[in-house]
Amino acid sequence: EDQVTQSPEALRLQEGESSSLNCSYTVSGLRGLFWYRQDPGKGPEFLFTLYSAGEEKEKERLKATLTKKESFLHITAPKPEDSATYLCAVPNSGGYQKVTFGIGTKLQVIP
Amino acid sequence: KAGVTQTPRYLIKTRGQQVTLSCSPISGHRSVSWYQQTPGQGLQFLFEYFSETQRNKGNFPGRFSGRQFSNSRSEMNVSTLELGDSALYLCASSSTQNTEAFFGQGTRLTVV
């Protein structure tokens, strides 16, 4: 069974303090890995898709990387508006839209 | 363009009742997926519809069902509600070509 584990569960950073979130996965044949951001009371917002080990994608202060067993979401010089829960997910063997999500990392950036 | 629209945003139901939630996908998107989100379990896949056919199904009891109409709008139904069904129900749509899914704001269901 596909599994996604995210760590830490919660992270508190000072504004400008860079850090990384981890997502480790166990799947039978990786078809991609998704990163989403979710604000309280809202649906997840798509950030990145990574397809193969070594791939990297960037968006503003965020950079996602992928290895054969895990993915990292690096946050450089975060701002308070980066506070959110970050979710990692992998598509299951049934097809891209059957997706297993991690429990998420709740990030709080303090001014 | 307009995003994924879910209605209603909030619902309070009594145990034993049934409920229907609605989802209008992004125009042109034919795939609609439903997820249940709870604090303890996170986001869990319920089912996916594509061109009015259920393509994938998660590990939920038969009380959870859905359907999709010819205009790609989808409904989810939960019968004989239990307290444990209290959750945020999220709908996501995607086009036939892309893998990324776009989520709606969700329906917050409270069962009392």
Side-chain angles (χ1 to χ4, degrees):
Chain A
E1 186 175 320
D2 299 340
Q3 288 190 334
V4 177
T5 304
Q6 291 187 248
S7 62
E9 288 189 12
L11 182 61
R12 199 174 183 197
L13 299 173
Q14 291 290 331
E15 185 173 359
E17 179 186 2
S18 301
S19 188
S20 296
L21 313 182
N22 177 265
C23 169
S24 61
Y25 59 88
T26 305
V27 296
S28 53
L30 183 68
R31 301 155 111 97
L33 184 141
F34 308 127
W35 280 99
Y36 285 87
R37 167 197 169 123
Q38 186 174 25
D39 293 301
K42 295 188 176 182
E45 174 190 347
F46 173 78
L47 293 173
F48 306 108
T49 304
L50 302 168
Y51 289 105
S52 56
E55 188 174 359
E56 298 183 352
K57 287 192 176 174
E58 287 188 65
K59 180 180 180 179
E60 296 180 359
R61 295 176 292 282
L62 300 176
K63 182 168 82 172
T65 61
L66 182 66
T67 71
K68 288 186 177 180
K69 293 189 175 181
E70 57 191 350
S71 177
F72 293 93
L73 185 65
H74 307 278
I75 303 177
T76 302
K79 298 182 177 181
E81 53 262 41
D82 294 323
S83 297
T85 296
Y86 290 87
L87 299 164
C88 166
V90 294
N92 293 40
S93 57
Y96 279 117
Q97 302 315 322
K98 184 175 183 179
V99 177
T100 297
F101 279 83
I103 203 77
T105 293
K106 187 173 183 179
L107 173 65
Q108 183 183 15
V109 182
I110 304 161
Chain B
K1 55 184 174 180
V4 178
T5 304
Q6 291 188 246
T7 57
R9 288 294 312 278
Y10 303 94
L11 266 178
I12 299 176
K13 290 287 187 178
T14 304
R15 270 183 305 173
Q17 288 186 312
Q18 75 166 19
V19 67
T20 299
L21 312 181
S22 180
C23 172
S24 293
I26 291 171
S27 178
H29 285 191
R30 294 165 65 187
S31 171
V32 174
S33 302
W34 288 89
Y35 292 84
Q36 180 194 67
Q37 187 174 32
T38 57
Q41 299 293 321
L43 268 155
Q44 292 187 289
F45 175 83
L46 280 157
F47 29 67
E48 183 221 356
Y49 286 87
F50 181 86
S51 293
E52 301 178 67
T53 301
Q54 187 181 92
R55 284 205 300 196
N56 291 296
K57 190 175 189 305
N59 298 322
F60 278 82
R63 300 185 295 108
F64 292 81
S65 62
R67 59 177 174 168
Q68 187 181 34
F69 302 95
S70 57
N71 61 358
S72 293
R73 190 178 71 85
S74 178
E75 287 183 347
M76 191 191 93
N77 184 274
V78 187
S79 62
T80 319
L81 284 166
E82 301 176 359
L83 295 178
D85 296 333
S86 295
L88 180 67
Y89 289 88
L90 291 158
C91 165
S93 78
S94 61
S95 70
T96 55
Q97 301 298 322
N98 298 327
T99 61
E100 61 196 50
F102 296 89
F103 282 83
Q105 297 277 54
T107 294
R108 171 73 63 185
L109 172 65
T110 302
V111 182
V112 297

